[in-house]
Amino acid sequence: DTEVTQTPKHLVMGMTNKKSLKCEQHMGHRAMYWYKQKAKKPPELMFVYSYEKLSINESVPSRFSPECPNSSLLNLHLHALQPEDSALYLCASSQVSVGSQSYGNTIYFGEGSWLTVV
Amino acid sequence: AQKITQTQPGMFVQEKEAVTLDCTYDTSDPSYGLFWYKQPSSGEMIFLIYQGSYDQQNATEGRYSLNFQKARKSANLVISASQLGDSAMYFCAMSSLYNFNKFYFGSGTKLNVKP
């Protein structure tokens, strides 16, 4: 069983709705991620948090708003989304990069949240 | 710039046979990590195996092994004794010396195991 859990598993929302995706990890990691994945494509990085601070924002539209309340929780707030935002949203966690390669840099993913915008 | 290439969009393998999934990479960094992930149709990305650029030995994890050829910049995944449950999408990924929290993914290979 994955130690990164995401809720909800499936979400359908209208373009005027406000909803949130939630993620929790129990691995003691201090880096957490949001990825977006369209069908038959690799995951695309959206945001990275290190020690609860936003360290990477890959020019994501402001209708996606991340939040890291503590070291084990990560939220993605959704507002005024478009149908093209429909995708699988993956949360992940890892140790914070220590500037050298190691097995410890492995990123572990949750089961994903399937989002449909109607 | 970092780049990962997977040239096999789809592959078939007979159950109980071995299969090799290709991955080549391009980087000028002296230190990097290489990873393989499995993604079933349910969506979860499952970590399979890791290889560090300084590791002398090829990584192995159960039925998975990584054929690392540094000079050729290739990191092929070998799955031995394929099982029906191995049918999934497989992604090769790389992390960089300058930011190990930023992964670069290949386009993926869809593996189908035939009974």
Side-chain angles (χ1 to χ4, degrees), chain A residues 75-89:
Chain A
N75 299 322
L76 185 63
H77 302 299
L78 314 171
H79 174 53
L81 295 192
Q82 303 296 311
E84 59 264 29
D85 296 321
S86 298
L88 175 66
Y89 288 83

Side-chain angles (χ1 to χ4, degrees), chain A residues 25 28-33 48-53 55 68 71 74 91-97 106-108, chain B residues 101:
Chain A
Q25 58 97 2
H29 290 158
R30 300 305 296 273
M32 296 189 75
Y33 309 74
V48 181
Y49 275 83
S50 295
Y51 297 108
E52 296 91 68
K53 294 191 187 310
S55 61
C68 190
S71 61
L74 184 66
C91 175
S93 70
S94 76
Q95 295 180 11
V96 174
S97 170
T106 301
I107 291 179
Y108 295 90
Chain B
N101 289 125

